[in-house]
Amino acid sequence: MNRLKAPPLSTDALREAVDWAIATRRSVRAYLPRPVPQEEIESILSMARFSASGMNMQPWHVHVLTGEAKARLSAAIAELDDDPSRLPELSEPYDYYPREWVSPYLERRRKVGWDLYGLLGISKGDKQRMHVQHGRNYRFFDAPVGLFFTVDRELQEGSLLDYGMFLQSVMVAARARGLHTCPQAAFLKFHRQIADLLKFPLGQMLVCGMSLGYADESCVENTLVTEREPVCTFTTFHDIAKETRV
Ligand SMILES: Cc1cc2nc3c(=O)[nH]c(=O)nc-3n(C[C@H](O)[C@H](O)[C@H](O)COP(=O)(O)O)c2cc1C
């Protein structure tokens, strides 16, 4: 891709296409068994590598799992997840979520959780069905491709910021190819076991996992559309000239 290339579409069509890819990216939690050709996966990563990173550090490293490799990893993690006695062995490589949930994040977290469980007919307190649904994470929701993203442990928080841009680019590039994704922090508590199973080079830390594939639109969980706050609730426009003009 020539990065100085002129847009391939008119201004309106271009905006519509880019906006469509961003807005239709949503977390899909049920996939068709239809395989994703390796060239398609490479093409997505080849676009995502154009993401910005401080000092062009490009701190990303991707592990792509399909077929037997994905099945073996999923089975090993599912076995651990189903065995409460192994819980004390688990730890997370970094704090992704806050240690204490406060407003408004607590309410947003609860809403998305109950909206998903509500669609699936899982009632509050049905711990067994919640465990089973959560466990679908470890099978990548049956997606044909599982991705793991790692970063050099030596790097700082800024590299996680860069990583977020890369992950979004992967997800948006997937949409442009008719594919869907679900980023997954659920794998973090198994980071040590995943590092062993996939033989991560020493010093590489798991950032997150991701499902990639074609959505099974017949599954009710894929009808979940999460809400967003309007721009005015999170934006402050500063225009000193305007403020002093009055
Ligand atoms: C880094 C990251 C980790 C996430 N981890 C999980 C996960 O482990 N399992 C899951 O089902 N969804 C996960 N999600 C999806 C979020 O729940 C989802 O992005 C959010 O509810 C907004 O919904 P949307 O992605 O459909 O727009 C994760 C999202 C991000 C960005």
Side-chain angles (χ1 to χ4, degrees):
M1 169 73 76
N2 168 8
R3 296 185 69 195
L4 303 178
K5 192 178 162 185
L9 299 169
S10 71
T11 311
D12 283 352
L14 184 67
R15 186 183 54 230
E16 207 175 312
V18 174
D19 287 358
W20 175 88
I22 294 172
T24 66
R25 183 226 52 81
R26 59 200 169 83
S27 297
V28 157
R29 298 183 177 88
Y31 292 83
L32 297 170
R34 182 178 162 191
V36 181
Q38 179 158 340
E39 307 80 67
E40 199 76 313
I41 304 170
E42 281 177 17
S43 155
I44 289 169
L45 297 175
S46 160
M47 279 303 115
R49 78 200 154 108
F50 293 125
S51 304
S53 61
M55 305 280 184
N56 201 21
M57 284 170 65
Q58 308 168 64
W60 31 82
H61 190 96
V62 187
H63 295 258
V64 181
L65 278 75
T66 57
E68 262 305 296
K70 186 178 78 78
R72 266 202 308 274
L73 184 289
S74 289
I77 300 301
E79 196 182 319
L80 279 171
D81 187 49
D82 287 339
D83 182 356
S85 73
R86 309 284 298 269
L87 231 93
E89 289 171 38
L90 307 179
S91 69
E92 304 215 333
Y94 66 97
D95 285 333
Y96 177 55
Y97 294 111
R99 295 201 166 178
E100 265 186 52
W101 285 87
V102 295
S103 188
Y105 315 108
L106 179 65
E107 294 82 357
R108 289 177 190 164
R109 170 200 169 163
R110 283 187 177 145
K111 178 160 175 36
V112 72
W114 291 123
D115 283 354
L116 176 64
Y117 287 143
L119 282 172
L120 290 160
I122 302 175
S123 53
K124 283 185 191 181
D126 191 346
K127 293 228 163 66
Q128 178 53 24
R129 283 196 65 200
M130 280 185 206
H131 177 74
V132 170
Q133 174 57 29
H134 185 76
R136 286 186 46 71
N137 269 288
Y138 307 123
R139 283 172 30 209
F140 296 95
F141 303 105
D142 298 325
V145 185
L147 303 171
F148 284 115
F149 300 92
T150 64
V151 71
D152 192 328
R153 211 179 277 278
E154 294 288 295
L155 299 182
Q156 302 292 344
E157 285 98 328
S159 293
L160 288 179
L161 188 67
D162 296 340
Y163 229 115
M165 303 192 205
F166 179 75
L167 296 172
Q168 173 76 358
S169 297
V170 168
M171 295 189 284
V172 171
R175 287 308 296 123
R177 289 158 179 78
L179 288 152
H180 272 289
T181 53
C182 183
Q184 294 172 265
F187 284 106
L188 287 178
K189 64 180 172 186
F190 301 110
H191 74 110
R192 285 213 186 87
Q193 292 80 3
I194 294 169
D196 286 348
L197 288 163
L198 299 181
K199 300 186 172 50
F200 288 170
L202 215 66
Q204 284 288 307
M205 174 183 96
L206 184 66
V207 174
C208 72
M210 186 182 287
S211 302
L212 171 73
Y214 295 95
D216 184 342
E217 301 292 3
S218 71
C219 290
V220 71
E221 55 268 55
N222 286 342
T223 61
L224 177 70
V225 177
T226 53
E227 292 173 0
R228 294 295 190 273
E229 294 296 314
V231 172
C232 62
T233 64
F234 61 84
T235 310
T236 309
F237 290 95
H238 298 268
D239 182 343
I240 294 160
K242 210 166 163 185
E243 280 162 14
T244 51
R245 213 182 294 139
V246 199

